[in-house]
Amino acid sequence: MRLLNFQCYQDSGEIPINQMTIFIGENDSGKSCILKSIDIFLNNKLPDPDMFHSLNGNREIKSSIILKFKINRDEEIPKEFIVDGMITIKKEFLRNEKDEIISNISINRYLFKIDELNNISDLKANQLKNLCSNYSLGYSNAEDAKTTLANFVKENFGSLDTEMGFSSIKWSEISPLLPAFEYYNSSDYGNPQRHVETTLRSIYKSFFYDYDENGNESLKREYIPKKNEIERILNEQIKESLKEKVTSKISKIRNIYGEYSIDFSGGFSLSDILVDYGTGPHSINIIGEGSKKRLFLAIIEWDKEIKIKEHHKMVIRGYDEPDASLHYSAQREMYYTLHDLSTNQSSQVQVIICTHSVSMIDRAPARIINHIVQDNGISHVDYLKDYDEEDIKEFLDSISEISGIKNSSLFFERCFVIFEGDTEENALPIIYKKIVSRSILEDGIVLINLEGNASWESFLKLLNKNKRRATILFIDSDTQSDQSRKITLDKLRRINFDEEFLNNNVILTGTKEFEDIFSDELICRCLNTCWPKKGEDSWAETEISVLRNSGKFSDNIIRCVRRYMNDHYGREARIPGKPELGKKIAEIASYEEIKGISELDLLIQKINEIIR
C-alpha cells in the first residue's frame, strides 16, 4: 500500500503487507492511520476533511490511497487489469473550499489503443454495431453485443494493441474482486458483542451466497429472481418518478439509471448476548472489565475456528492495539491465535496488527514488522530490506541465535556495538556508564557478542542493509592478520560493507586484542585488589609487562593468576576467567584512565554521535 497526503503521511512510499503484518511505533505516529485508510478504501467510504495531510497549518486539497493486490486466482479477473501479476487500484480524494469530498477510482491496466474497447459497457448501439463489424462479429442487440465483445477481448487480449496506464473505473466493477475488510479499533475490545456479531454475520451471509474453492461468492440460485425483481422495481421508480423531476429541472438530461449493489445479508444485526452465572441472564456488556478481557480471548479463539471451517471470500482483519490492558500471558496467547488464523490456508484471513506489545513484537518474524517513525509531523515506514536472501531469511526466523538481539532491539534501539569476546561484554557496560553517567540500556545501545555464533555473517548482512549508520564494530587488531578469525576487514568487504563504513565505524583495539589497551599499572592494581598474593607479597608491574611478550596477553594473565592461586590457596582459590577479569578491570579503572585509552574514548564518541 501507499499513502499520499493522508493524515501524517506526505508520501509513505510502498508499505509491504504480509499474510500477517505488525505495525509498531510511538503513540500518534500513524499506526491507526494505516487501518483507517484500508477501511476507507475497501469499505468504499469518504475520508473526513481532517484526514488530509496538514503541514504548518496548510491542509492539502488532494489525498490518495493506493493498494496493490497480489493475484492468487485470475480466472475471473479481466487480463487487462493484471500488470506484473498484480492489481493496482488508486482512490483519489479532492477536498473543496466547503470541505466537501469528491472521490475518483482508477486502476493501473493495459489500455486498448482502440478506446471503445476500454468502455464496452458504456457504449451506445451504433458504437457497438461498428465494433462488431470491425471484428467480424455478429450483432443482434446491444446487451448481447456487449457480452460478445467482452468475450472477444478476453480471448484475443494478447493480439490487441495496448499501452499501460491508470484509467477510471466504477467501484461496482472492481469491488467483487477485492477482499473484505473488518476493522477492530481499540475501543471495540471492551465490547464482546461487536466481535460475536462480526463472526455470526459471516455465518448468516452463507445462507444467501455460495462460494467456490477460490472464495468467489455468487448469490444462491433461488435468490436471483428476487434480486432481478428488486432491480426492476428500483429502475421503474427512477424512470417513472425521479426522471420526471430531474428532466423538468435539467432539460438536457435524456435518461437516468441506477447502479445497485444488493447484499441480501446486510440486514443482520445482533441486539445483545445474555450470560447466566447462576443468578439469571444478564447482558454480556455489563460484566466486569477483567471478565471482558478473558471473554475477548475466548471469542478470538472461537472466531479463528469458525474462519478455518469456512471457505469464504478473502478477508483482511485490522486489529488496532488488541493487546491493550491484557496481561503478558494473554498477549502471548492472542499473538499465537492471530498468527494461526493468518497462516492457516483454509481461513483465507490476512491479519494486520497495530501494537505496542513487546511480547507480540518479539514473537513475530522480524520480516513482517513495519516500524512507523515520525519526524517533524511527517511519518515514514521502516522495515527490514533484502530479507529475501535465503541466509538472512533463515536468521530472521530464528533471530534469538544472536545473544542480545530481539525484534524490539532491531527496531527500537539506536546503536549496535559488535565485538567478539566475553571480556568486552562484561567491561563495556561499566566503562560506558563511568564516562557518560548513563547506562547503555537508557541510551538505547545494544552490545552484541558474536563469539561462538554461527549466524554472525547473516546478522552483519542485515545490519549493513538496514542499520549501517547505527552500527559500530569494535574488534581485535589481530583479526586482520589471523584469517581464521570470524570478522576481518576482507570478510566485511565480501558482505558489501563499503570503505566509508570500514574507515569510520570499525575500531581496531589493542596491539592484538582488547585486553592490551589496559596499562600494566591498572592490571596490577586489579589483581592486587581482587586476587591478592599471600602475606606481604603483591603483584608487580614487571610481572605483568613480561606477560605481554609472547602469545595472547589475556590468556597469559589468566594462566599466571590461576597458577599462583592453585599453588598458594589450593581448594580455597578463587580462579578468575576472562569475563570476570574484564568486569573487575572496568570497575577499578578511573574516569581519567578510561578517557586516556584512545580506543575506548573513540568508541564512546562514535556511540554518542549515533544516538544524537
Side-chain angles (χ1 to χ4, degrees):
M1 63 182 298
R2 184 175 186 178
L3 303 177
L4 300 169
N5 292 325
F6 191 87
Q7 287 197 316
C8 51
Y9 295 93
Q10 200 168 53
D11 181 353
S12 69
E14 284 211 346
I15 305 170
I17 306 293
N18 303 281
Q19 192 59 31
M20 182 181 195
T21 307
I22 293 180
F23 284 91
I24 62 177
E26 296 180 0
N27 285 330
D28 300 320
S29 61
K31 298 190 302 296
S32 300
C33 173
I34 298 290
L35 299 182
K36 287 176 186 174
S37 66
I38 301 173
D39 184 38
I40 286 169
F41 192 107
L42 289 177
N43 290 322
N44 203 28
K45 300 176 180 179
L46 290 174
D48 294 330
D50 62 5
M51 289 183 172
F52 286 70
H53 181 69
S54 176
L55 192 63
N56 299 324
N58 298 316
R59 192 169 296 282
E60 299 285 350
I61 62 169
K62 185 177 178 181
S63 176
S64 301
I65 305 169
I66 304 167
L67 298 189
K68 187 180 285 190
F69 299 89
K70 183 180 177 182
I71 303 302
N72 57 7
R73 59 179 194 271
D74 61 4
E75 59 274 11
E76 299 299 322
I77 299 173
K79 287 185 171 62
E80 60 267 29
F81 291 171
I82 303 173
V83 178
D84 296 329
M86 311 282 275
I87 291 182
T88 303
I89 307 168
K90 175 164 59 177
K91 282 196 175 186
E92 294 178 304
F93 305 98
L94 293 172
R95 180 181 62 84
N96 65 20
E97 293 178 355
K98 297 179 181 179
D99 273 349
E100 296 166 332
I101 312 297
I102 301 165
S103 69
N104 177 59
I105 306 166
S106 58
I107 185 168
N108 189 34
R109 58 174 291 180
Y110 291 103
L111 293 164
F112 299 106
K113 290 188 177 178
I114 297 174
D115 190 50
E116 288 91 341
L117 293 178
N118 296 313
N119 304 287
I120 293 171
S121 62
D122 295 332
L123 297 180
K124 302 287 192 293
N126 286 337
Q127 294 171 300
L128 291 166
K129 284 179 184 177
N130 290 335
L131 268 182
C132 287
S133 175
N134 289 343
Y135 294 110
S136 302
L137 302 171
Y139 180 88
S140 56
N141 59 61
E143 289 308 311
D144 286 348
K146 289 177 182 179
T147 303
T148 300
L149 283 165
N151 289 333
F152 172 79
V153 166
K154 186 176 181 180
E155 292 166 7
N156 297 276
F157 177 76
S159 60
L160 296 168
D161 289 337
T162 59
E163 56 189 4
M164 197 170 65
F166 277 89
S167 71
S168 293
I169 190 170
K170 295 174 183 174
W171 181 245
S172 58
E173 287 182 71
I174 195 65
S175 59
L177 307 177
L178 303 180
F181 182 69
E182 297 172 0
Y183 181 21
Y184 296 86
N185 66 41
S186 51
S187 63
D188 288 332
Y189 303 120
N191 182 2
Q193 183 178 316
R194 154 97 162 103
H195 290 267
V196 174
E197 181 172 5
T198 301
T199 303
L200 291 180
R201 183 179 293 279
S202 68
I203 299 171
Y204 172 79
K205 190 171 183 176
S206 68
F207 285 92
F208 298 93
Y209 292 90
D210 287 321
Y211 300 87
D212 64 20
E213 66 274 10
N214 293 314
N216 297 311
E217 69 177 23
S218 58
L219 191 63
K220 287 190 174 181
R221 187 175 300 172
E222 60 266 34
Y223 294 108
I224 293 174
K226 180 60 67 177
K227 178 176 181 288
N228 293 338
E229 183 185 355
I230 291 170
E231 288 182 350
R232 179 182 61 77
I233 292 171
L234 294 174
N235 273 323
E236 283 177 1
Q237 289 296 320
I238 287 175
K239 288 179 182 178
E240 292 174 7
S241 56
L242 179 60
K243 180 184 174 184
E244 180 185 345
K245 304 291 185 189
V246 170
T247 53
S248 67
K249 303 292 184 184
I250 310 170
S251 58
K252 291 181 180 180
I253 291 179
R254 292 287 177 265
N255 221 329
I256 186 166
Y257 303 95
E259 188 178 286
Y260 311 107
S261 178
I262 297 170
D263 183 353
F264 282 82
S265 64
F268 175 78
S269 66
L270 179 67
S271 59
D272 203 353
I273 294 175
L274 303 179
V275 291
D276 188 346
Y277 287 99
T279 57
H282 58 272
S283 173
I284 202 172
N285 290 305
I286 62 170
I287 64 175
E289 289 303 313
S291 296
K292 280 184 180 178
K293 290 169 190 173
R294 292 191 295 274
L295 184 61
F296 173 60
L297 289 173
I299 293 169
I300 289 284
E301 184 67 30
W302 169 70
D303 172 80
K304 180 192 79 174
E305 292 176 3
I306 294 291
K307 280 287 181 281
I308 288 172
K309 288 176 185 175
E310 293 177 345
H311 295 277
H312 291 178
K313 185 174 182 176
M314 280 291 299
V315 175
I316 299 172
R317 285 274 187 86
Y319 293 91
D320 195 353
E321 298 189 21
D323 51 275
S325 303
L326 291 176
H327 55 78
Y328 179 83
S329 61
Q331 291 178 16
R332 182 182 61 212
E333 186 179 341
M334 172 173 287
Y335 167 77
Y336 286 120
T337 299
L338 295 179
H339 177 267
D340 291 348
L341 178 63
S342 66
T343 54
N344 190 304
Q345 292 182 349
S346 299
S347 73
Q348 299 205 76
V349 175
Q350 191 173 10
V351 172
I352 302 173
I353 304 169
C354 297
T355 183
H356 290 288
S357 167
V358 172
S359 173
M360 279 193 170
I361 295 165
D362 285 340
R363 279 177 169 77
R367 55 194 165 83
I368 72 168
I369 296 174
N370 292 336
H371 183 201
I372 301 177
V373 182
Q374 193 169 85
D375 185 23
N376 294 323
I378 298 175
S379 293
H380 67 275
V381 180
D382 284 340
Y383 52 91
L384 299 179
K385 298 167 182 68
D386 280 7
Y387 61 74
D388 52 337
E389 290 187 36
E390 196 58 36
D391 53 348
I392 294 180
K393 181 180 181 297
E394 286 178 12
F395 166 69
L396 286 173
D397 287 340
S398 54
I399 199 165
S400 59
E401 286 181 15
I402 298 289
S403 175
I405 283 294
K406 297 180 179 178
N407 292 341
S408 48
S409 303
L410 273 176
F411 288 101
F412 291 133
E413 305 302 5
R414 294 189 286 177
C415 180
F416 301 85
V417 180
I418 316 295
F419 50 86
E420 284 186 283
D422 296 334
T423 311
E424 293 94 315
E425 187 168 14
N426 281 270
L428 290 179
I430 299 166
I431 288 168
Y432 185 83
K433 189 163 188 177
K434 276 193 176 181
I435 298 301
V436 301
S437 301
R438 295 184 306 275
S439 71
I440 60 168
L441 191 63
E442 288 175 276
D443 279 354
I445 302 160
V446 184
L447 300 181
I448 301 161
N449 183 2
L450 292 187
E451 188 171 56
N453 284 296
S455 298
W456 71 272
E457 189 169 339
S458 297
F459 180 59
L460 289 184
K461 277 186 183 179
L462 185 75
L463 290 182
N464 186 31
K465 285 290 184 183
N466 296 277
K467 299 286 181 180
R468 184 186 315 184
R469 292 173 59 195
T471 299
I472 300 170
L473 268 69
F474 189 69
I475 54 180
D476 295 346
S477 291
D478 70 351
T479 59
Q480 307 324 304
S481 56
D482 181 1
Q483 292 298 309
S484 66
R485 296 292 294 269
K486 265 183 193 163
I487 303 175
T488 67
L489 294 181
D490 285 342
K491 289 178 181 177
L492 292 172
R493 288 187 185 99
R494 193 185 72 211
I495 55 178
N496 295 321
F497 281 96
D498 58 29
E499 293 302 317
E500 182 185 3
F501 179 89
L502 299 181
N503 291 331
N504 295 315
N505 289 54
V506 176
I507 300 172
L508 299 178
T509 178
T511 53
K512 289 185 178 179
E513 59 175 339
F514 175 62
E515 288 82 357
D516 295 338
I517 66 177
F518 300 111
S519 70
D520 295 343
E521 191 279 328
L522 175 58
I523 293 173
C524 194
R525 188 167 10 115
C526 174
L527 297 184
N528 283 321
T529 303
C530 302
W531 296 279
K533 290 186 174 183
K534 273 198 168 183
E536 296 183 1
D537 200 7
S538 62
W539 295 100
E541 290 180 41
T542 51
E543 289 179 89
I544 308 303
S545 181
V546 169
L547 298 177
R548 293 183 188 270
N549 293 335
S550 62
K552 294 194 74 168
F553 182 42
S554 59
D555 291 340
N556 292 341
I557 296 173
I558 297 299
R559 277 196 294 268
C560 179
V561 175
R562 283 181 175 176
R563 191 161 51 243
Y564 183 90
M565 293 289 117
N566 283 325
D567 289 347
H568 293 82
Y569 288 92
R571 290 187 177 182
E572 296 177 7
R574 290 194 306 110
I575 306 297
K578 286 173 72 170
E580 189 179 5
L581 178 65
K583 181 171 183 279
K584 294 301 182 184
I585 291 174
E587 288 174 345
I588 286 169
S590 67
Y591 176 94
E592 290 75 16
E593 283 175 313
I594 294 169
K595 288 290 287 182
I597 299 171
S598 59
E599 293 98 323
L600 292 178
D601 191 44
L602 179 59
L603 174 64
I604 292 168
Q605 284 181 43
K606 290 282 184 188
I607 290 172
N608 280 283
E609 283 174 19
I610 288 170
I611 66 175
R612 275 201 302 273

